[in-house]
């Protein structure tokens, strides 16, 4: 288990609010994607970022509490494991101490030129291991 973490502060836009007065469920997926990609970009290094793309394969979301327009929200992306061309993330979305949503997701690494699945090099995976310490 790598447990490399990245906190991503979320900005809630008025357009994120649905007919019920809280953040629409679809927006949570955007937050997860932004947090995971920001984590990748922070640790992977510029050459790896240019050479690889990430696509989501699966999200499992548990919505615990609604989020509202003026809330301060942080999405913490936690890299659990890298296996072959897949990265397994857990993202915890919080408002203060309250967990608003908990998301488990699987991401596939693509070669940026061929758009085919590719494994990450050991040097890149090592950066994530080092950042977890």
């Amino acid at each position: 288990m790598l447990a490399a973490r990245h906190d991503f502060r979320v900005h809630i836009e008025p357009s994120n609010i649905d007919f019920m007065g809280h953040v629409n469920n679809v927006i949570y997926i955007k937050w997860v994607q932004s947090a995971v990609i920001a984590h990748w970009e922070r640790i992977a290094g510029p050459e790896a970022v240019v050479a690889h793309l990430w696509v989501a394969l699966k999200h499992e979301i548990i919505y615990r509490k609604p989020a509202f327009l003026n809330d301060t929200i942080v999405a913490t992306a936690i890299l659990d494991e890298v296996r072959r061309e897949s990265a397994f993330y857990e993202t915890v979305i919080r408002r203060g101490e309250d967990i608003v949503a908990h998301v488990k997701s699987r991401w596939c690494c693509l070669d940026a030129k061929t758009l085919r699945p590719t494994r990450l090099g050991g040097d890149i995976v090592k950066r994530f291991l080092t950042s977890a310490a």
Side-chain angles (χ1 to χ4, degrees):
M1 184 167 169
L2 299 178
R5 300 172 162 260
H6 178 72
D7 288 336
F8 181 81
R9 185 164 175 162
V10 169
H11 179 71
I12 302 173
E13 301 286 337
S15 62
N16 298 156
I17 305 303
D18 65 15
F19 68 95
M20 294 177 62
H22 56 67
V23 174
N24 187 280
N25 290 356
V26 173
I27 301 304
Y28 289 76
I29 297 294
K30 290 181 180 184
W31 294 348
V32 169
Q33 179 172 315
S34 295
V36 167
I37 297 303
H39 181 242
W40 162 252
E41 290 173 346
R42 180 176 64 93
I43 296 175
E47 293 165 7
V49 169
V50 170
H52 301 89
L53 302 172
W54 289 93
V55 294
L57 298 178
K58 179 179 180 179
H59 294 295
E60 294 177 22
I61 304 174
I62 299 172
Y63 297 99
R64 298 187 182 268
K65 296 183 179 202
F68 302 96
L69 182 61
N70 295 315
D71 286 348
T72 300
I73 302 289
V74 174
T76 302
I78 306 158
L79 178 61
D80 285 331
E81 180 181 6
V82 176
R83 190 175 350 135
R84 298 178 44 102
E85 69 280 345
S86 293
F88 297 84
Y89 272 88
E90 183 174 345
T91 305
V92 180
I93 300 171
R94 284 190 163 81
R95 176 184 50 240
E97 295 298 315
D98 291 335
I99 295 175
V100 174
H102 183 246
V103 184
K104 290 189 176 199
S105 55
R106 179 179 176 191
W107 297 80
C108 181
C109 183
L110 301 179
D111 179 283
K113 290 182 183 173
T114 66
L115 300 181
R116 296 182 56 92
T118 188
R119 292 182 184 191
L120 288 175
D123 60 323
I124 298 170
V125 174
K126 186 176 180 179
R127 289 182 200 162
F128 284 92
L129 287 167
T130 304
S131 75

